[in-house]
Amino acid sequence: TYNKTYGLHRSRVENFFIGEKIIVLRKCVGEPKFTYTDFDCYVSATFYIIKISRINQKYLTGLLNSKLIAFWLKNRGKMQGNNFQLDKEPLLELPIIKPNNDIQSNISNIVEEILINKKNNIDTLILENKVDNLIYKLYDLTYDEVIIIEPDFEMNEVDYENYKL
């Protein structure tokens, strides 16, 4: 039934809004932004909520915010001009790798540091680049493939080949 007070036309499963989750705006300007949250919050249908127990949510946040996934969404997802349209279908088609727990934990720890730094208005670019580099290695990308995704990539080829997960 239609609830005039809140403008709701259908009920939602409350579990999606409770606890740890990733929230993404369905239409993103410039680049997709996936937000990790571990508190209860209720959002409108202009957002998607990603809640999964099979994979570390902070690792997944790092992966989803990576330049690799942005590149994939731009070339294989839905776009409206320069805006990303993050509907259910492109999100379900994302090539998600579930690495071993050590790698998930490593990326998760960096994401935790990014979250803390953002709360304190500290620049996170170096940490974000570190996540991107780990994701490139996780997906076994060559240096030449990374340059296609990120033309301004700052690491030289030898350093990249020796970069460890």
Side-chain angles (χ1 to χ4, degrees):
T1 63
Y2 185 78
N3 183 330
K4 292 182 183 182
T5 306
Y6 299 104
L8 297 176
H9 60 81
R10 64 183 167 89
S11 63
R12 307 278 168 100
V13 177
E14 185 175 35
N15 183 47
F16 280 104
F17 303 102
I18 306 297
E20 189 179 42
K21 67 195 135 308
I22 300 169
I23 300 172
V24 62
L25 187 61
R26 290 181 59 219
K27 295 185 188 235
C28 297
V29 178
E31 64 184 19
K33 296 218 186 304
F34 295 84
T35 303
Y36 170 86
T37 180
D38 60 358
F39 54 86
D40 301 349
C41 62
Y42 299 85
V43 295
S44 71
T46 58
F47 295 89
Y48 271 114
I49 295 174
I50 301 168
K51 191 167 185 168
I52 188 166
S53 60
R54 298 183 313 256
I55 196 163
N56 181 300
Q57 293 276 16
K58 288 179 185 170
Y59 157 74
L60 186 58
T61 302
L63 173 62
L64 293 173
N65 280 308
S66 70
K67 290 180 181 129
L68 175 61
I69 294 299
F71 181 85
W72 190 95
L73 286 167
K74 186 171 188 168
N75 291 285
R76 302 281 306 268
K78 284 180 161 179
M79 298 291 290
Q80 288 184 328
N82 290 327
N83 299 334
F84 290 84
Q85 185 172 334
L86 301 171
D87 292 327
K88 182 179 179 181
E89 294 78 24
L91 292 175
L92 288 174
E93 292 174 5
L94 285 171
I96 303 293
I97 289 179
K98 182 181 176 187
N100 67 45
N101 288 339
D102 289 342
I103 294 170
Q104 282 189 61
S105 194
N106 186 12
I107 292 172
S108 175
N109 290 339
I110 298 168
V111 169
E112 178 64 29
E113 195 173 343
I114 289 170
L115 292 169
I116 291 167
N117 285 354
K118 287 204 177 273
K119 281 182 185 176
N120 295 311
N121 292 321
I122 298 171
D123 183 47
T124 59
L125 185 60
I126 291 170
L127 294 169
E128 292 170 31
N129 287 338
K130 190 172 183 178
V131 171
D132 282 324
N133 295 344
L134 292 169
I135 298 297
Y136 294 146
K137 290 303 258 185
L138 178 63
Y139 280 77
D140 205 25
L141 269 60
T142 66
Y143 181 80
D144 292 335
E145 291 167 330
V146 172
I147 295 298
I148 293 169
I149 295 166
E150 189 179 346
D152 298 330
F153 188 65
E154 294 185 9
M155 196 179 297
N156 66 46
E157 189 169 359
V158 173
D159 289 340
Y160 176 73
E161 294 306 321
N162 293 322
Y163 195 82
K164 303 287 183 217
L165 272 174

